[in-house]
Amino acid sequence: MSDATDALNRIFGYPSFRGEQGDIVDHVINGGDALVLMPTGGGKSLCYQIPALVRPGTGVVISPLIALMQDQVDALRTVGVRANFLNSSQDFDERRIVEAEFVAGELDLLYVAPEGLGTAGVQRLLDRGKISLFAIDEAHCVAQWGHDFRPDYLNLSMLHERWPDVPRIALTATATPATRDEIASRLRLTEARHFTASFDRPNIQYRIVPKNSPSKQLLDLLKTEHAGHSGIVYCLSRASVEKHAQFLSDNGIPALPYHAGLDARTRFQNQGRFLREDGLVMVATIAFGMGIDKPDVRFVAHLDLPKSVEGYYQETGRAGRDGLPSTAWLAYGLQDVVQQRKMIESSDGAAEFRRNANRHLDAMLALCESVTCRRAQVLEYFGQETAAETCGNCDTCLSPPESWDGTVPAQKLLSTVFRLQKERGQKFGAGQSIDILLGKRTEKVSQFRHDDLSVFGIGTDLKEAEWRGVVRQLLAGGFLAVEGEYGTLALTDRSSEVLRGERKLMMRRELAVAKSRSGSGSSRQPAAAPADFPESAAPLFEKLRTWRGAVAKEQGVPAYVIFHDATLRAIATLAPVSLEQLGTVTGVGQSKLAKFGDQVLEVTRAEA
Ligand code: ADP
Ligand code: ZN
């Protein structure tokens, strides 16, 4: 048996490497550089942890997540790995202890923040010990056009110059082919071998629903499919975060807010509670989540449209790291498109920035409006071919949306915008154009005498929700644009293709119609228990969970640091009566067996 496999079995309690893990580990152990792209939950950590254990010296892990270093280190210590961290949260004495451990060669792994590595003090310290490898976690933070850019990551190119003989492994869960090249060039990883795992997350069910009353839709989802589950709800604004955290709490769902406007202590506390307690919902801006490796997040819900497919996939990827069924749910509507286009338009970034932001948004909109498999589309975006055209686990596969020929309504809508502008020299938002088409004599319609326009009342064949869908899809396809502070509608270069009848526009059927077809509009049963978990093991699983909760509390660590749900399920299924039997369960390594084995057996034997 190789040293690597031995460490995997003995320390982590896993029988074998997954996918490319084994090749990556071998490559780094032999001193090679590597760029690893693997989806969240794919098992990136072992790719540097095992080589750090096998190679002489300390593995230095660069991670942007200061607030999570303690948890990462706790989890490693629980399996018997000698780990510690250095960051700005520590006082002088605490740092001195860690530094001494490193210099004495008493650490397998040392976590440092990227800003720390930029300081002469830390660099001199690293010169005084032996480094087995550098692992650059969340490597996409170096990409300047990316959604998580951290300027300190740019300095990391010096690792290669200063320690040319130390292998480097960069890891990320998000990268299009372009971002991948940017990471390689900025980190001077030009010689590195690239390892790209499949980005598919088969256990996550992707759903994008039309937004009508988002708070109620969210509550429905949580009550019917995710009662008692941990999950994350993403909102665009801080105000919306506060509002929805309160709303969920008022409705009996334990929820906490997280956004950059909260003081650091509250943020840290809320994050800690989310990690440690079962069944909490975190309502957050995208400031929350990077590096949160809580394995049992059962759903990620977006109440607002993410700015890019990369962001969407990164955020939804936080669900279901343990491989159990999970939901990624997004509510999306016309207002999202208007708002995002407006934000880009009014940003003071350079033209290049705006072009880039619009490109990202276009891809996200295309995903939302898609009538084909969501998963296939996302994977294609990340440059990955999919064998099957339907995945069977996304909303469009489970209940294929109806499409309809929206060319004539699109022409009516575009004509309205055209007439307002050409005949009156006016620009209005979507609402006014729709009122005109529906022939509504509102105050504003009368005030501007829009009832005199030839298009007034020519759209009564569609309902308002359907008109909003038409506007949304025209905006998404670039046949219509949003301008200025008020988000007024304007024609684009492509509008004429539709107006002249050169282009047929197939559209998604809107909610008003879709609803009558599928009842509540929810397309699936509550997340099923995994197939290999027998119903009869459930009571023992619950007892083990209670035991785990008590131990976690006593030790002040998240429950999953003791054992993952998946491991507890396996134990409950096997119901072992000896340490030897217990040791065969995936996720039970030597150290955990020694620490917790007897206690677990007490629980399982009582049940036998
Ligand atoms: P990532 O960092 O890529 O998101 P992690 O390293 O956190 O993923 O791993 C995800 C989960 O998969 C963890 O619970 C981890 O313990 C588990 N895991 C990783 N590799 C293996 C393996 N070879 N066998 C069994 N479980 C594994
Ligand atoms: Zn699908």
Side-chain angles (χ1 to χ4, degrees), residues 206 372-376 389-398:
Y206 297 95
T372 58
C373 177
R374 309 267 193 212
R375 188 183 311 272
E389 273 177 20
T390 57
C391 72
N393 198 24
C394 75
D395 55 354
T396 53
C397 285
L398 289 169

Side-chain angles (χ1 to χ4, degrees), residues 8 12-19 21 38-49 137 173 201 293 295 317 321-322 564 586-587:
L8 181 73
F12 295 94
Y14 297 141
S16 55
F17 285 112
R18 252 194 216 158
Q21 273 178 339
M38 233 185 232
T40 313
K44 282 184 290 301
S45 327
L46 288 180
C47 297
Y48 59 84
Q49 288 167 351
D137 206 5
R201 300 286 309 280
D293 52 6
R321 279 170 178 252
D322 53 10
H564 284 186
T586 297

Side-chain angles (χ1 to χ4, degrees), residues 114-119 123 136 142 149-161 163 186-188:
E115 52 275 24
L117 257 193
T119 65
Q123 291 180 9
I136 303 164
V142 79
F149 176 57
R150 304 283 173 110
D152 286 311
Y153 264 67
L154 294 176
N155 294 328
L156 297 180
S157 60
M158 64 84 182
L159 294 178
H160 180 53
E161 286 137 39
W163 294 281
R186 288 194 190 278
L187 292 177
R188 308 264 158 82

Side-chain angles (χ1 to χ4, degrees), residues 271-529:
Q271 173 174 293
R273 284 191 58 195
F274 177 71
L275 292 173
R276 282 167 177 70
E277 294 174 30
D278 274 338
L280 264 188
V281 176
M282 185 65 104
V283 186
T285 60
I286 55 168
F288 177 76
M290 201 192 343
I292 294 288
D293 52 6
K294 186 174 167 63
D296 56 354
V297 173
R298 289 275 70 84
F299 66 88
V300 171
H302 282 91
L303 287 176
D304 297 295
L305 184 72
K307 292 183 174 61
S308 66
V309 177
E310 283 94 331
Y312 169 74
Y313 209 56
Q314 177 96 337
E315 285 142 31
T316 54
R318 291 170 188 146
R321 279 170 178 252
D322 53 10
L324 302 177
S326 308
T327 309
W329 181 91
L330 158 65
Y332 150 78
L334 170 59
Q335 206 44 44
D336 285 300
V337 192
V338 173
Q339 190 174 32
Q340 297 267 0
R341 291 266 194 239
K342 241 166 58 184
M343 267 165 49
I344 295 171
E345 167 102 349
S346 60
S347 73
D348 32 68
E352 194 188 355
F353 170 83
R354 264 180 270 160
R355 234 189 339 271
N356 201 57
N358 266 318
R359 230 190 356 255
H360 280 297
L361 181 58
D362 286 341
M364 188 63 221
L365 292 173
L367 177 64
C368 292
E369 301 294 356
S370 171
V371 289
T372 58
C373 177
R374 309 267 193 212
R375 188 183 311 272
Q377 199 165 334
V378 171
L379 292 178
E380 196 186 298
Y381 182 76
F382 289 113
Q384 198 181 313
E385 301 260 332
T386 43
E389 273 177 20
T390 57
C391 72
N393 198 24
C394 75
D395 55 354
T396 53
C397 285
L398 289 169
S399 49
E402 284 173 30
S403 59
W404 60 294
D405 186 344
T407 313
V408 171
Q411 287 169 337
K412 289 180 182 173
L413 192 282
L414 293 176
S415 309
T416 307
V417 176
F418 176 78
R419 285 182 194 286
L420 281 172
Q421 192 175 337
K422 280 280 137 33
E423 293 176 14
R424 304 285 177 92
Q426 296 168 344
K427 287 189 176 176
F428 280 90
Q432 185 72 356
S433 297
I434 294 174
D435 284 348
I436 294 170
L437 286 164
L438 289 173
K440 286 195 187 167
R441 293 186 196 277
T442 63
E443 212 173 291
K444 207 160 157 193
V445 164
S446 307
Q447 183 192 345
F448 290 98
R449 310 216 22 213
H450 286 163
D451 42 355
D452 289 351
L453 291 167
S454 60
V455 288
F456 185 76
I458 63 165
T460 49
D461 49 332
L462 296 190
K463 296 198 178 59
E464 183 173 340
E466 291 168 313
W467 276 117
R468 292 177 73 82
V470 172
V471 177
R472 199 189 69 224
Q473 296 184 64
L474 286 172
L475 283 170
F479 299 104
L480 196 57
V482 168
E483 285 186 345
E485 192 187 343
Y486 300 106
T488 54
L489 299 180
L491 300 184
T492 70
D493 296 344
R494 302 181 68 191
S495 307
S496 56
E497 291 172 35
V498 180
L499 282 167
R500 285 201 302 261
E502 290 163 8
R503 207 183 161 105
K504 185 169 155 177
L505 288 181
M506 293 309 287
M507 297 191 170
R508 270 180 91 98
R509 184 65 80 192
E510 286 315 306
L511 183 70
V513 185
K515 205 174 175 180
S516 62
R517 195 167 42 94
S518 66
S520 73
S522 123
S523 55
R524 77 159 187 178
Q525 300 299 310

